[in-house]
Amino acid sequence: MSNENPNNRLNKEKVKKAAQHPNRPGEKCQAKPNQYIPIINQNKCEGKRDCVEVCPYDVFEVRQIDDQDFNKLSFFGKLKSRAHGRITAYTPHADMCLACGLCVVACPEKAITLTKVIS
């Protein structure tokens, strides 16, 4: 986990807008950890950091795409990734997700989905 306090990086205006979105998925932060995980479609992600700015649980980080992940992208995904400096979102702390759905509705590329973990 980063040493940065998650509350210092939150964009309160974006959080408020995402919280009011009528199609917000998930459990409104009522799920237990490991019940849902956010999945990022890296063919769509442009690394704009909205997910980082709205997630109260420090689930996301935005950084340069790993070569292995870049190689898995579609032709257009690779073009898009290069155009945006090969920056993408990752979920190093997906196990901390409580299914707020804020990231899903805040993502301008609609690159994030919440998936229920099947035990």
Side-chain angles (χ1 to χ4, degrees):
M1 185 182 306
S2 72
N3 292 332
E4 179 183 358
N5 180 344
N7 293 326
N8 291 338
R9 64 166 166 65
L10 290 178
N11 180 321
K12 291 179 181 165
E13 185 176 313
K14 286 183 183 180
V15 171
K16 183 177 179 180
K17 183 177 178 183
Q20 295 171 347
H21 195 286
N23 298 326
R24 181 175 151 204
E27 302 293 326
K28 312 290 188 268
C29 299
Q30 300 298 312
K32 293 178 183 169
N34 292 318
Q35 284 188 326
Y36 287 83
I37 56 170
I39 304 293
I40 299 169
N41 180 336
Q42 292 180 324
N43 279 300
K44 292 182 176 183
C45 181
E46 296 177 2
K48 292 182 177 173
R49 301 186 55 81
D50 291 65
C51 53
V52 172
E53 293 178 358
V54 300
C55 179
Y57 304 107
D58 201 23
V59 169
F60 299 89
E61 71 179 16
V62 174
R63 61 176 171 82
Q64 186 168 0
I65 192 169
D66 294 337
D67 289 340
Q68 183 178 5
D69 293 332
F70 180 80
N71 291 334
K72 293 177 187 176
L73 296 177
S74 67
F75 175 77
F76 290 110
K78 287 177 181 173
L79 289 176
K80 188 174 188 176
S81 179
R82 284 188 184 114
H84 292 281
R86 289 186 57 161
I87 301 298
T88 193
Y90 282 95
T91 57
H93 306 292
D95 60 322
M96 296 174 65
C97 178
L98 299 186
C100 285
L102 297 173
C103 58
V104 175
V105 296
C107 179
E109 296 85 30
K110 307 215 180 311
I112 304 171
T113 55
L114 273 181
T115 302
K116 189 166 180 100
V117 175
I118 300 172
S119 322

